[in-house]
Amino acid sequence: MPGRFYVTTPIYYVNDAPHIGHAYTTVAADALARWHRLLGEDVFFLTGTDEHGLKVARAAEANGLTPQQQADRTSARYKETWSLLDISYDDFIRTTEARHYASTQALMQAAYDNGWIELGTYEGWYCVACEAYYAPDDLLEGRLCPIHERPVEWLKEDNYFFKLSAFSDRLLEWYRSHPDAVTPESKRNEAVGLIRQGLNDISISRTSISWGVPVPWDRDHVFYVWYDALINYATAIGYGTDPARFDAWWPAVHHLIGKDILRFHCVYWPALLMAAGLQPPCRIAVHGFLLVGGDKMSKTKLNQIAPADLVPTFGSDGFRYHFLRDQQFGPDGDFSYEGMVARYNADLANNLGNLLARVATVVDRKCGGRGPRPDAGSHLAAVAADAYRTAAAAWERIAPHEALEATWRLVRETNAALEAAEPWRAPPGPEVDRVLGDALEALRIVALLASPAIPRASAEIWRRIGVEGSPGDARLPGGADWGGYRGGPVHKGQPLFPRLPSEG
Ligand SMILES: [Zn+2]
């Protein structure tokens, strides 16, 4: 039976438009999904939008829309962006869908029935216009709303509280017995540190807002946006609606998240699952911020970059390759346009693009346009085998930059072999056939191994060198074995990755 691989992105909040920070996580999840499909695993890739909460209601009001209209509009923009970037999600969840209400209510009801949710009172400084509480430190002059600059009032309301404090020991025990559940280790340590500091019970419902999932046992309340949002991961595989499907996929889930939502995913979410009698997720991979010129992207700084600004120049593949190859998954990364151009020109235009163009040209001139078969004893066979082994291990630990670095070693070695043999100077014959057959086989394997990152170009490489089918339909590890290239018609074409001027 093939393994199962369930991978998720965070669901993105619809008060905001898609930018390269969202794209970074989503492209990484997509590449992982594609890699695991190549391994023949049963893959389920989930993304979507988080549509409840006051911020959405407020953004809607500012735009003269209802919250649902605001959610529909922004959700559609995410879908367009993912289509532009060739994101192969299996499901796009929206938290305003009926299925999500059903799952959220079922999971919270289970936690309530198990005795982990109780009514309490919440009190604090409240702005009526914001419909929100403020900590004393956030107030202007100690008494004014920081947004409306008008006096706040002391309000007390009934909230349902999740008894998070009761889960400290169980969470620490889970972290002890699952040392690799949260990666990288620095983020795992951060989560353990938060638990050790002591956990307070958390308010999970509101009576003052209505844009949310109703609390099933008390219709005066809706769940606070974060708690319904987390449950999307369970909704999409049928929690509360299709138990057999849920049991087949849970807890084999890999959550990809940014470090700003670590507390919710690495502390609250495992505890909430335990409260409902479920296993915590098998993996939470945390990445850093994608900085722009050293700064965090934000609406107020106006330094957000939309994928649609970059794709016309770099193509979907060039965009994807940059974020997978240059941004290490884990630490903070820094985006620069110049860096993106440099990487595109070096790896895609020069190394890979030139290799394909060169091989196609020489096959056309010396082999009558038919690609010769590779030599079983080629020294490139060992390089290819090593590229596969290294790349496979790197994808497994969510290190796409290392996987691609290993794959490009084969590109460089193949270029070097061509330069050493100079088949363009030699007369047609077995020696030229041998060199070109090896280069074609290396190209076939590179396209296959790189297809999770550059799916369009990979398919085009196969088409041009006369390999039948699409790399996305191939299976590893067998597909990467040396000798798979059977020869075939080789087509010249336009540059796969036209070189970009280095002055942006
Ligand atoms: Zn206010």
Side-chain angles (χ1 to χ4, degrees):
M1 205 180 115
R4 283 179 186 271
F5 184 76
Y6 175 22
V7 62
T8 69
T9 72
I11 49 174
Y12 302 114
Y13 207 41
V14 294
N15 70 328
D16 206 0
H19 58 63
I20 54 173
H22 306 117
Y24 168 45
T25 321
T26 308
V27 165
D30 183 67
L32 281 170
R34 288 175 185 270
W35 178 262
H36 283 268
R37 288 187 196 117
L38 289 177
L39 294 177
E41 294 178 11
D42 217 349
V43 170
F44 188 67
F45 169 22
L46 176 70
T47 188
T49 41
D50 182 4
E51 308 192 347
H52 288 126
L54 200 58
K55 278 197 216 163
V56 175
R58 235 186 248 148
E61 203 184 338
N63 295 327
L65 302 170
T66 66
Q68 188 65 58
Q69 286 170 328
Q70 167 76 24
D72 290 347
R73 191 158 90 170
T74 316
S75 191
R77 291 183 64 184
Y78 277 95
K79 282 190 173 170
E80 285 161 21
T81 303
W82 301 154
S83 157
L84 186 68
L85 295 177
D86 299 311
I87 302 300
S88 63
Y89 57 78
D90 295 298
D91 193 357
F92 187 105
I93 192 167
R94 301 182 55 188
T95 56
T96 48
E97 292 170 329
R99 60 173 173 158
H100 183 62
Y101 279 55
S103 288
T104 299
Q105 291 178 333
L107 196 143
M108 289 298 205
Q109 184 76 53
Y112 181 71
D113 293 345
N114 290 338
W116 299 117
I117 293 176
E118 61 183 18
L119 196 60
T121 43
Y122 194 91
E123 52 188 320
W125 293 111
Y126 186 82
C127 171
V128 179
C130 289
E131 299 180 20
Y133 288 95
Y134 285 98
D137 287 351
D138 296 334
L139 298 174
L140 301 176
E141 299 166 26
R143 60 185 194 93
L144 303 177
C145 164
I147 292 168
H148 295 94
E149 300 183 11
R150 61 185 234 188
V152 290
E153 55 193 78
W154 188 259
L155 192 78
K156 207 169 166 180
E157 70 170 333
D158 286 343
N159 282 179
Y160 283 97
F161 283 76
F162 171 49
K163 294 193 211 171
L164 181 66
S165 59
F167 286 85
S168 297
D169 290 344
R170 287 177 65 183
L171 284 169
L172 289 171
E173 176 50 33
W174 178 67
Y175 272 96
R176 259 194 304 274
S177 54
H178 298 81
D180 301 321
V182 173
T183 57
E185 201 185 351
S186 60
K187 296 296 184 278
R188 173 189 187 278
N189 294 341
E190 196 179 321
V192 169
L194 288 171
I195 299 163
R196 288 217 177 103
Q197 274 170 27
L199 299 174
N200 295 320
D201 295 346
I202 44 177
S203 156
I204 58 165
S205 77
R206 295 287 184 274
T207 51
S208 53
I209 49 175
S210 54
W211 183 239
V213 179
V215 170
W217 60 86
D218 185 343
R219 296 295 170 139
D220 291 339
H221 291 249
V222 299
F223 289 113
Y224 184 56
V225 56
W226 258 107
Y227 304 98
D228 99 67
L230 287 165
I231 295 169
N232 90 85
Y233 305 128
T235 301
I237 50 168
Y239 181 81
T241 56
D242 187 346
R245 180 156 179 252
F246 181 80
D247 290 344
W249 287 102
W250 198 265
V253 62
H254 301 249
H255 296 312
L256 268 49
I257 65 162
K259 69 179 182 183
D260 52 329
I261 50 178
L262 178 144
R263 178 190 291 269
F264 285 92
H265 282 81
C266 301
V267 181
Y268 298 174
W269 179 227
L272 200 53
L273 288 162
M274 289 172 181
L278 300 170
Q279 295 286 320
C282 89
R283 178 94 185 264
I284 306 171
V286 187
H287 66 72
F289 288 139
L290 182 64
L291 308 174
V292 174
D295 262 342
K296 191 172 187 296
M297 269 182 285
S298 82
K299 275 209 271 196
T300 48
K301 284 183 197 144
L302 295 173
N303 63 347
Q304 291 185 344
I305 300 167
D309 297 337
L310 298 169
V311 169
T313 305
F314 296 91
S316 160
D317 284 340
F319 181 99
R320 296 167 59 99
Y321 185 78
H322 165 75
F323 285 96
L324 293 166
R325 174 63 185 85
D326 278 330
Q327 308 297 342
Q328 200 179 329
F329 199 92
D332 286 350
D334 204 356
F335 172 83
S336 88
Y337 187 85
E338 296 72 21
M340 191 169 177
V341 170
R343 174 63 68 185
Y344 172 96
N345 280 339
D347 286 15
L348 299 178
N350 292 353
N351 270 317
L352 180 58
N354 272 355
L355 174 59
L356 177 68
R358 203 178 218 181
V359 169
T361 302
V362 185
V363 168
D364 184 56
R365 278 172 41 210
K366 311 270 170 165
C367 313
R370 279 204 73 84
R373 296 175 67 144
D375 174 12
S378 169
H379 81 282
L380 290 176
V383 179
D386 185 60
Y388 171 72
R389 267 194 308 273
T390 309
W395 284 115
E396 202 55 48
R397 54 173 195 280
I398 314 188
H401 68 292
E402 288 176 32
L404 294 170
E405 165 61 25
T407 305
W408 256 254
R409 234 174 281 147
L410 177 56
V411 177
R412 286 194 298 273
E413 291 286 335
T414 307
N415 271 322
L418 282 174
E419 269 148 34
E422 297 191 310
W424 43 87
R425 290 184 195 280
E431 184 54 22
V432 164
D433 285 357
R434 190 187 58 74
V435 173
L436 290 172
D438 290 353
L440 284 159
E441 172 62 333
L443 270 168
R444 183 191 68 84
I445 294 171
V446 164
L448 174 56
L449 298 183
S451 64
I454 51 169
R456 280 173 190 254
S458 291
E460 178 62 8
I461 291 171
W462 273 32
R463 192 191 69 78
R464 288 199 198 176
I465 66 174
V467 179
E468 290 199 358
S470 164
D473 299 327
R475 288 295 168 261
L476 291 170
D481 286 350
W482 189 264
Y485 184 65
R486 304 268 173 240
V490 173
H491 311 279
K492 293 197 290 180
Q494 295 296 313
L496 200 54
F497 296 102
R499 221 187 130 76
L500 294 172
S502 49
E503 308 271 324

